Amino acid sequence: MISNGCWLDAATREKIVAVVDVKSGFAVHAIAGNRQAYQPIAIGGQTAGDPFTLVAHYRRRGIRSLYIADLDSIVLGQPQIELLERLIRAHSDLDEILIDIGLPELETVASWLEFVQKNRNVVVIVASECAPRAASLQHFKGSLDFSQVALGMDYRQGNFLGGDDSESDWMNHAQQLRIERVVALDVAAVGTSRGPSIAGTCSRIRRHLPDVKLYSGGGIRDDSDVKLLLDAGCDHCLVATALLDP
């Protein structure tokens, strides 16, 4: 693990989106996509797994954007609505909060989506790994404007996870809907501190979607890894492990 975030200069910090994975109310450390084995994160002797402590830790680093993955919703279809609302309310001054809740039944999140509409810094991700086809990008249509919807392009060891449709199908559909943000992640790389393996994929997405805001991460250790992804066409990098030491 990288020590104490000393690699974060001002320019790099502006490009970082700090990651919060929440499972059963706890902030957990994601490693290699093995979600059953994720364990609560302890920061500086504080209560392990408190997501508010984790976000406060990130904010002390000067981070202004968050990516929150609701693993209960992604895996079980059971969104942690109350926790998500509390996190958004507590950090409504942040530049951006990206939230991945998979594709829950709309009736279970209807009131929450109304809440999201009123918080324009919140963006909800449609994750390809949870979807049967690219048309699922319209899952929140009628509940959210597409300016508050992002495409999550998910991979495992380089293989695209997108149901029955190809990577190109998803990107074409995103272009048709004028989706403004794309988040590309290889779940096998997250939390490994081995360096990002997705730079080539990011370059391919950038060529296909030249106008989107592109986010990626997984395995980032320091500013050189951030630069690698920025050079590949990313606008922002998702980071957790390299920020965790007190």
Side-chain angles (χ1 to χ4, degrees), residues 10 32 34 42 46 62 90 94 104 113 119 134 149 156 175 195-196 205 212 216:
N34 184 14
Q46 300 295 314
L94 287 175
L113 291 173
N119 291 269
V149 175
R156 183 178 288 275
Q175 200 164 38
I205 294 171
V212 300
S216 191

Side-chain angles (χ1 to χ4, degrees), residues 33-52:
N34 184 14
R35 289 168 176 153
Q36 300 304 314
Y38 290 1
Q39 295 298 313
I41 293 172
I43 297 291
Q46 300 295 314
T47 302
D50 178 19
F52 294 90

Side-chain angles (χ1 to χ4, degrees), residues 43 58 86 88 128 133-134 146-147 177 199 201-202 209 223 232:
I43 297 291
Y58 289 147
R86 288 173 58 210
I88 293 168
S128 67
R133 59 190 60 87
F146 283 121
S147 64
L177 297 175
T201 298
C202 292
L209 299 171
D223 54 344

Side-chain angles (χ1 to χ4, degrees), residues 224-246:
S224 63
D225 288 338
V226 171
K227 185 178 186 302
L228 175 68
L229 291 182
L230 296 180
D231 289 346
C234 291
D235 297 289
H236 295 281
C237 295
L238 277 57
V239 183
T241 304
L243 298 173
L244 292 183
D245 276 3

